[in-house]
Amino acid sequence: QVQLVESGGGLVQPGGSLRLSCAASGSISSIYAMGWYRQAPGKQRELVARIITGIITTYADSVKGRFTISRDNAKNTVYLQMNSLKPEDTAVYLCNLQVGRFLSDYWGQGTQVTVSS
């Protein structure tokens, strides 16, 4: 059993910053990738940022230059530093973990990020 616990969401004004954390625990074999997705009301879930094999990072075009993903391998934790936040960044942010040879997917419960003045 794998558990993902997210934290760090909240309400922030435009231009502000937040840092999301996602800690993985349980029966974790080799981690292939950890990442963050988001889903706004009425919209499809979209990839925000992902870190593969602890080294390769990918970002959605809309967050490049503003968001930074990082991972603490010792703690099985992934972080998302979000700067220069915009109202359109408002969404539920979900942590994703891919593990094992079959790349099994696990999801966190989600954390709300609201950017509003």
Side-chain angles (χ1 to χ4, degrees), residues 3-83:
Q3 296 84 36
L4 298 175
V5 178
E6 300 144 329
S7 61
L11 172 64
V12 64
Q13 292 187 341
S17 298
L18 283 174
R19 188 189 192 215
L20 305 183
S21 300
C22 173
S25 62
S27 302
I28 301 173
S29 56
S30 59
I31 295 177
Y32 173 72
M34 298 186 78
W36 291 93
Y37 291 70
R38 67 186 180 188
Q39 188 162 18
K43 294 187 177 181
Q44 287 189 332
R45 185 175 297 183
E46 63 173 355
L47 173 68
V48 177
R50 193 166 178 238
I51 184 165
I52 301 169
T53 63
I55 300 173
I56 302 169
T57 58
T58 59
Y59 295 92
D61 288 342
S62 60
V63 307
K64 283 180 181 176
R66 300 187 298 123
F67 292 9
T68 302
I69 190 169
S70 61
R71 178 181 153 186
D72 185 329
N73 294 331
K75 296 181 179 179
N76 287 334
T77 299
V78 65
Y79 305 96
L80 185 68
Q81 178 66 44
M82 305 185 293
N83 298 328

Side-chain angles (χ1 to χ4, degrees), residues 14 20 22-23 27 30 33 36 50 54 65 74 88 90 97-99 107 111:
L20 305 183
C22 173
S27 302
S30 59
W36 291 93
R50 193 166 178 238
E88 50 263 43
T90 296
L97 171 69
Q98 283 189 319
V99 299
W107 293 91
T111 185

Side-chain angles (χ1 to χ4, degrees), residues 101-114:
R101 60 182 296 190
F102 300 112
L103 300 184
S104 300
D105 267 314
Y106 295 92
W107 293 91
Q109 79 284 358
T111 185
Q112 177 70 45
V113 171
T114 303

